[in-house]
Amino acid sequence: MSDTATRARADIGRYVNDALRDRYFAACDAVHALGAPARAEYDVETSFGTTHVYRYGPEEGTAAAGRAAGRTPVVLVHGAGGCAAMWYPNTPALAAERTVYALETPGDANRSVHRAPLHQPERAAQWLDESLAALGLDRVHLIGTSYGGWLTLNMAHRRPGRLASATLLDPGGLEKVGLRFFVWIFLSLFATAAPAALRPRLAAWLEQPVLVVPELRAMVRAGVRAHRIRRPAPKPLTDDELRTIRTPLHLVLGRRSLLLHPKRQAERVPRLVPGTRAVILERTGHGPQIDHADEVNARMIDYLDGVDDPAREGEGVPGRA
């Protein structure tokens, strides 16, 4: 497909122009700099476009790097409209003794190249499976947030063969996306233009950590100007579809989430997928891995260690629920 035809398709994400794209990439790089340093970057080809990937891990030649080589790697899948930089609060802890790959979903505002639609569930699972195969990853711990949570959950349902576990951070895919979530998104974007003195109060009211991290705020604002997403919201998995899942699940929800109803899903998912670990975090909404990074990191690491070695489960997480 020619570049002109790709740009003309209504279901292919696109940048408004090269200047805005480059300005956005610079903002992404500033956010990346807040987290762990990437050890490498890759571009891998799939049926749906080129997937850009960042690899993190301990410094080569260290004892931690030796331990990481023998452990199941982690793969991160970001939320809608964003890029891998959003994982900056999590990469230092996750990559301390594991290899971590952060994928950028084609169709979102990032360095991947979108050539064919992948929002349909089977195609989304195929894209993710092809990306993992191209990286040579046969077994991974998959972690997704928001739309990336739907991609992760969908993968556990449709193509679970490579998955050691799936961690879902306030994920899509469990309920139909309602009006209240879109209103929150609109208000959050509007609040990014508020005077600096008001942003902390707006951040607390909206449960929106983006407003109080200058680099993150700049990245979000630049992304909204530069990129146009072209896909519908995903349909939630049915009860019958959830019952098919055998991959170990870790469900982390924000008490004040507006994407879903936390209590409802904390009861529903473990009932349909036995063995699911579900927790609701207080004082947070849709971004628990950002505004409660230390706690979420500790919980994720504990869960990954417990899957890999059940004897270690529960270590280092006081009061784990």
Side-chain angles (χ1 to χ4, degrees), residues 117-268:
L118 55 83
H119 60 268
Q120 301 92 336
E122 180 53 42
R123 293 167 72 88
Q126 181 183 344
W127 161 73
L128 191 43
D129 194 54
E130 288 183 9
S131 295
L132 298 180
L135 291 166
L137 301 176
D138 295 325
R139 186 167 177 79
V140 303
H141 293 293
L142 194 60
I143 298 176
T145 180
S146 193
Y147 179 74
W150 172 75
L151 289 168
T152 298
L153 188 63
N154 181 64
M155 186 75 166
H157 166 51
R158 292 179 180 273
R159 296 203 179 192
R162 298 180 191 273
L163 303 189
S165 74
T167 293
L168 313 171
L169 304 172
D170 216 63
L174 294 177
E175 298 182 18
K176 181 179 179 180
V177 181
L179 178 61
R180 64 180 192 158
F181 182 73
F182 291 113
V183 169
W184 174 74
I185 291 291
F186 174 80
L187 291 175
S188 296
L189 290 174
F190 184 76
T192 63
L198 291 180
R199 286 181 216 141
R201 297 173 65 180
L202 289 170
W205 177 56
L206 292 167
E207 301 286 352
Q208 183 50 275
V210 166
L211 300 178
V212 291
V213 181
E215 296 87 349
L216 195 56
R217 171 180 167 270
M219 184 182 78
V220 169
R221 287 173 62 83
V224 169
R225 294 190 186 99
H227 190 266
R228 300 292 178 262
I229 298 177
R230 295 289 186 259
R231 64 164 181 258
K235 294 182 179 179
L237 275 72
T238 66
D239 285 4
D240 286 344
E241 288 173 329
L242 287 174
R243 288 191 184 98
T244 70
I245 295 176
R246 298 294 179 268
T247 300
L249 292 187
H250 184 200
L251 181 62
V252 181
L253 306 173
R255 173 76 67 183
R256 300 170 185 169
S257 173
L258 296 177
L259 179 65
L260 44 72
H261 294 82
K263 288 184 179 179
R264 180 187 304 168
Q265 298 306 329
E267 181 280 327
R268 175 187 177 229

Side-chain angles (χ1 to χ4, degrees), residues 65-83:
R67 289 191 292 271
R71 310 187 78 180
T72 305
V74 171
V75 174
L76 306 175
V77 190
H78 61 76
C83 64

Side-chain angles (χ1 to χ4, degrees), residues 84-107:
M86 62 146 291
W87 294 107
Y88 77 90
N90 316 115
T91 51
L94 291 174
E97 292 197 356
R98 288 182 187 269
T99 301
V100 175
Y101 297 85
L103 307 187
E104 296 198 316
T105 309

